[in-house]
Amino acid sequence: MFEHIHPLILPLGFFFFFNSFIGVIGNSVMLLCFFRNKRLRSPCHILISLTCIADLLHLCAQFVYCIHLFGNLTSSQAQCFYMLVVPLSGVGASGPLILAMGVDRLIAVKFPTKYRLFQQEPKFYIFGQLVFPIVYTLVLLYYGFHYRIVDEELQIACAVPLALMGTPFQFFTYSSALIYLLVVIVYGIVYYLLKSNQASARFKSVFRSIMVTVGFVLFGWVTTTLTNTLSYEITSVQFTAQLMQMYAGITVNFAAASNVFIFYAINSEYREVIKSLFGCKSKANTPMFEASSTMVTVSTTSQMQKKRKLTMASVN
């Protein structure tokens, strides 16, 4: 039945299909949570939902690959690019959106008062956060279109790396490395600030969920990037190098499919909404209102200083 598929590639086909199937359902559940619960429509949650959309589109690209693989089909590189234009937009936007979430959390922690003002005009704030992801994705798609290979004699089993063959894939690899370096810096700063500031439990829960997700994504991209870079140094056989790159892609795809499981495990608010989606009753003692996910108070030291000033003023 699968005689045309190399034995080492066959397990990859099954993994990509089932992982993508689970991931599409999981990210769809995250989007349903966004539309179901009004409290999950803050700027932070909007960015989380947009990231889930990007991951969902990314995972849809694997269905095209599985159809080519199991159906013993091929296409030209240009045709592959056209088929994956929409999924590639998700691939391109994912990293910048993760960076945007980090910047959002940084503003919320460092400038809580201004952050609340930004939320009064959330449309403009969200638009400002989306400028870089949109521009980056358009540049990536332009590179992919400009360097597409129209030669019909070059037939491939369509997959994301091959849809961005050559210069576009190099641009994507190196720019992603820079973006995720910024992600590490921004999230590191937020983590440090949260250690020294008083933040609501809901704020910390949301940030923890994002941090775990980012950790999975970073691990995936680091292993993929290193493998892509070192594969041709390790072996001179092109098939072996491509096989290494394909197996390295497991971590990235796993991360894209894990959002719903991470938020369900860590974030009680998402957990309750997900339970309600499947007809499960929420806990009776679950509070109807919690501190906002954007609420951050000043440090205890600052509060004590203000209290001392007020006390001295009342004495005088």
Side-chain angles (χ1 to χ4, degrees), residues 13-288:
F14 284 113
F15 168 80
F16 284 134
F17 177 79
F18 288 108
N19 181 77
S20 298
F21 182 76
I22 294 171
V24 167
I25 294 175
N27 284 301
S28 298
V29 169
M30 291 291 290
L31 295 177
L32 287 175
C33 292
F34 171 77
F35 289 108
R36 180 72 177 266
N37 193 326
K38 292 182 179 180
R39 298 191 64 222
L40 298 181
R41 298 178 193 172
S42 67
C44 175
H45 292 295
I46 290 175
L47 292 173
I48 291 174
S49 298
L50 289 174
T51 304
C52 289
I53 292 176
D55 289 338
L56 188 153
L57 294 176
H58 178 181
L59 292 169
C60 285
Q62 303 304 339
F63 293 126
V64 176
Y65 171 71
C66 290
I67 291 173
H68 277 71
L69 180 65
F70 293 116
N72 197 20
L73 302 175
T74 59
S75 61
S76 68
Q77 196 277 331
Q79 289 172 334
C80 179
F81 172 78
Y82 294 140
M83 284 188 285
L84 295 186
V85 163
V86 176
L88 284 175
S89 64
V91 174
S94 180
L97 282 172
I98 289 175
L99 179 60
M101 283 194 295
V103 173
D104 174 81
R105 298 293 81 188
L106 178 60
I107 296 173
V109 175
K110 189 67 175 177
F111 309 104
T113 303
K114 290 184 178 180
Y115 187 74
R116 294 190 183 94
L117 293 176
F118 292 152
Q119 290 187 96
Q120 295 177 5
E121 294 292 342
K123 293 181 180 178
F124 296 105
Y125 176 76
I126 292 296
F127 177 77
Q129 288 279 23
L130 293 181
V131 169
F132 176 62
I134 292 173
V135 171
Y136 176 82
T137 303
L138 291 176
V139 171
L140 179 64
L141 292 177
Y142 168 78
Y143 267 99
F145 176 79
H146 182 73
Y147 288 98
R148 72 194 186 284
I149 303 172
V150 187
D151 186 5
E152 294 291 337
E153 294 183 1
L154 176 61
Q155 294 291 306
I156 58 175
C158 188
V160 170
L162 299 180
L164 296 172
M165 188 179 291
T167 301
F169 190 70
Q170 290 180 348
F171 166 77
F172 175 66
T173 300
Y174 295 136
S175 59
S176 293
L178 177 59
I179 289 171
Y180 285 110
L181 175 61
L182 294 174
V183 165
V184 172
I185 295 173
V186 171
Y187 280 83
I189 294 173
V190 175
Y191 180 80
Y192 172 78
L193 292 175
L194 279 179
K195 283 292 186 179
S196 57
N197 286 355
Q198 297 293 323
S200 69
R202 185 168 174 241
F203 185 102
K204 290 183 177 180
S205 178
V206 171
F207 183 71
R208 260 197 318 271
S209 305
I210 296 173
M211 277 288 288
V212 174
T213 304
V214 170
F216 273 99
V217 173
L218 283 174
F219 176 75
W221 281 113
V222 167
T223 55
T224 302
T225 301
L226 286 176
T227 304
N228 290 343
T229 304
L230 299 177
S231 58
Y232 291 109
E233 299 295 331
I234 295 174
T235 177
S236 58
V237 181
Q238 186 174 8
F239 174 78
T240 305
Q242 291 177 347
L243 193 64
M244 292 173 60
Q245 295 167 11
M246 292 172 67
Y247 270 95
I250 288 177
T251 53
V252 175
N253 284 271
F254 180 79
S258 65
N259 294 321
V260 68
F261 302 105
I262 293 172
F263 277 85
Y264 181 87
I266 297 177
N267 192 293
S268 60
E269 193 165 23
Y270 274 96
R271 186 185 310 122
E272 295 304 318
V273 178
I274 292 171
K275 285 182 178 180
S276 68
L277 288 175
F278 291 95
C280 300
K281 292 183 179 180
S282 301
K283 295 179 181 178
N285 60 348
T286 299
M288 294 299 294

Side-chain angles (χ1 to χ4, degrees), residues 1-15 65 69-70 239 243 246-247:
M1 185 176 180
F2 301 119
E3 292 81 6
H4 63 281
I5 304 176
H6 193 282
L8 293 177
I9 295 181
L10 185 59
L12 280 174
F14 284 113
F15 168 80
Y65 171 71
L69 180 65
F70 293 116
F239 174 78
L243 193 64
M246 292 172 67
Y247 270 95

